[in-house]
Amino acid sequence: MLLSTLSLFATFATTFAGAVRGRGAAAITPGSLQQVSNWGTNPTKTGFYIYVPKKLATNPGIVVAIHYCTGSAQAYYNGSPYKTLSEQYGFVVIYPSSPHSGTCWDVSSKSSLSHNGGGDSNAIANMVQWTIKEYSADTSKVFVTGSSSGAMMTNVMAAAYPDLFKAGIAYSGVPAGCFVSQSGGVDAWNSSCANGQVKNSPAKWAQVVLDMYPNYNGTRPKMQIYHGSSDSTLLPNNYQETTKQWAGVFGYNYDKPESTKSNSPQNSYTTTVWGPMVSGIYAQGVGHTVPIRGADDMKFFGFAT
Ligand SMILES: *[C@@H]1O[C@H](CO)[C@@H](O)[C@H](O)[C@H]1NC(C)=O
Ligand SMILES: *[C@@H]1O[C@H](CO)[C@@H](O)[C@H](O)[C@H]1NC(C)=O
């Protein structure tokens, strides 16, 4: 009698604990942008917004879509194609929201530029972990993208959390670690990087990436870098420096790309492929930032063929 009461209680306790654990996802209504709260360790109080499609795939993929300075999760949700694409392909979209005044991302402090360092990048990585768990997501389909400051953070996420992401697409950013603040400033602006004056060899840029997660020896995300030739906010040399960085990480010869194609994927854009893991698209005459190419992103991430 006592035994069966105990076991009944144990069953109840397990069910109840399961319900509490799962309440995060259960509380989220598919088909609209929702804020997630109490989701886990959030070292920088970064906002966590999510879009779960009405037609959620079984073991869905995840796309982290990171906004620009002065932007927000809501603004990027409205201004980017990912919610529509999420309905088409069934993946979950995470829209982090910057906690800093002016809403740039911290891509300058040591904590954000280190794996599990406790910065904004760590907060975003924890959102991804939460989403993987709550939605039984397919860890081979976890991707990151963003524009401007969000593109800087895309490069940082790919560098500091290569274990989480399979691919990244950066729209008009700078290399990972280029915005570093020598004095350790959080969310600092780095003029020499923005102005395209920081120039390194592929090997040196690659080392900046490797140093963010020392001793990591697993796979790294495939990268695609967009930049406009008329960008006056993050000067165009950041295109060369960022593509050098990822070519360096994968050991590709930067000076001998595999292919260069003019007027691809559209008139006056040039696509350069350094190897299977690194490509770049230089948009002649385009300023800050290059418009998102959602259908192409879906191909790059492997959702579309
Ligand atoms: C800006 O970043 C570069 C590296 O990209 C670094 O050498 C420089 O010291 C940084 N500027 C400041 C003010 O920290
Ligand atoms: C890669 O890292 C793992 C975990 O740190 C380690 O056990 C393994 O020996 C490393 N492999 C190589 C080839 O360095």
Side-chain angles (χ1 to χ4, degrees), residues 23 44 48 50 59 62 88-89 98-99 106 110 132 139-140 158 176 197-198 214 243 261 263-264 287 290-291 301:
R23 215 164 92 201
T44 60
F48 180 3
I50 198 166
N59 306 123
I62 299 172
Q88 201 174 337
Y89 298 102
S98 164
D106 174 22
K110 177 83 181 153
I132 289 172
T139 54
S140 72
Q197 290 153 352
V198 180
T243 49
K261 213 170 163 189
N263 298 319
S264 170
V290 176
F301 290 156

Side-chain angles (χ1 to χ4, degrees), residues 53 96 101 113 166 276:
S101 103
L113 299 176
K166 296 302 169 205

Side-chain angles (χ1 to χ4, degrees), residues 15 38 47 58 80 106 114 117 133 181 188 194 217 235 238-239 241 267 295 298 303:
T15 311
N38 302 323
T58 312
S80 69
D106 174 22
S114 314
K133 198 161 160 249
S181 161
N217 61 22
L235 270 74
N238 281 299
Y239 174 74
E241 302 308 312
N267 210 13
M298 294 301 101
F303 288 116

Side-chain angles (χ1 to χ4, degrees), residues 150-163:
M152 298 185 195
M153 186 53 105
T154 294
N155 286 313
V156 169
M157 294 311 296
Y161 297 90
D163 50 332

Side-chain angles (χ1 to χ4, degrees), residues 215-218:
N215 302 321
Y216 176 75
N217 61 22

Side-chain angles (χ1 to χ4, degrees), residues 31 51-58 60-61 63 81-93 293-299 302-305:
Y51 183 85
V52 177
K54 283 177 268 183
K55 286 189 257 169
L56 182 65
T58 312
V63 173
Y82 303 111
K83 64 172 178 299
T84 308
L85 296 165
S86 138
E87 286 296 347
Q88 201 174 337
Y89 298 102
F91 57 80
V92 174
V93 192
R293 297 182 61 88
D296 288 346
D297 291 358
M298 294 301 101
K299 287 186 198 157
F303 288 116
T305 47

Side-chain angles (χ1 to χ4, degrees), residues 31-46:
S32 69
L33 186 67
Q34 304 262 305
Q35 183 166 17
V36 185
S37 37
N38 302 323
W39 47 275
T41 313
N42 186 1
T44 60
K45 298 191 163 56
T46 296

Side-chain angles (χ1 to χ4, degrees), residues 109-274:
S109 76
K110 177 83 181 153
S111 54
S112 209
L113 299 176
S114 314
H115 180 79
N116 289 347
D120 291 354
S121 61
N122 204 162
I124 296 171
N126 291 351
M127 293 174 199
V128 173
Q129 298 285 16
W130 181 91
T131 306
I132 289 172
K133 198 161 160 249
E134 291 289 327
Y135 291 94
S136 305
D138 182 343
T139 54
S140 72
K141 295 180 185 165
V142 179
F143 308 107
V144 57
T145 186
S147 300
S148 191
S149 185
M152 298 185 195
M153 186 53 105
T154 294
N155 286 313
V156 169
M157 294 311 296
Y161 297 90
D163 50 332
L164 275 186
F165 297 102
K166 296 302 169 205
I169 303 176
Y171 285 96
S172 309
V174 303
C178 189
F179 245 57
V180 69
S181 161
Q182 280 324 338
S183 60
V186 172
D187 181 32
W189 188 261
N190 184 308
S191 302
S192 46
C193 177
N195 295 338
Q197 290 153 352
V198 180
K199 294 177 185 168
N200 284 323
S201 66
K204 189 158 180 224
W205 275 129
Q207 195 58 48
V208 172
V209 169
L210 303 187
D211 288 347
M212 290 188 199
Y213 191 178
N215 302 321
Y216 176 75
N217 61 22
T219 58
R220 291 182 185 273
K222 169 173 88 155
M223 297 300 292
Q224 186 159 66
I225 308 304
Y226 283 88
H227 216 100
S229 73
S230 303
D231 193 324
S232 55
T233 306
L234 302 174
L235 270 74
N237 184 49
N238 281 299
Y239 174 74
Q240 277 75 33
E241 302 308 312
T242 309
T243 49
K244 267 194 232 170
Q245 179 169 58
W246 293 112
V249 164
F250 289 101
Y252 301 147
N253 183 343
Y254 189 73
D255 299 323
K256 288 201 170 67
E258 260 183 28
S259 66
T260 303
K261 213 170 163 189
S262 318
N263 298 319
S264 170
Q266 70 173 62
N267 210 13
S268 72
Y269 283 28
T270 300
T271 297
T272 304
V273 175
W274 280 274

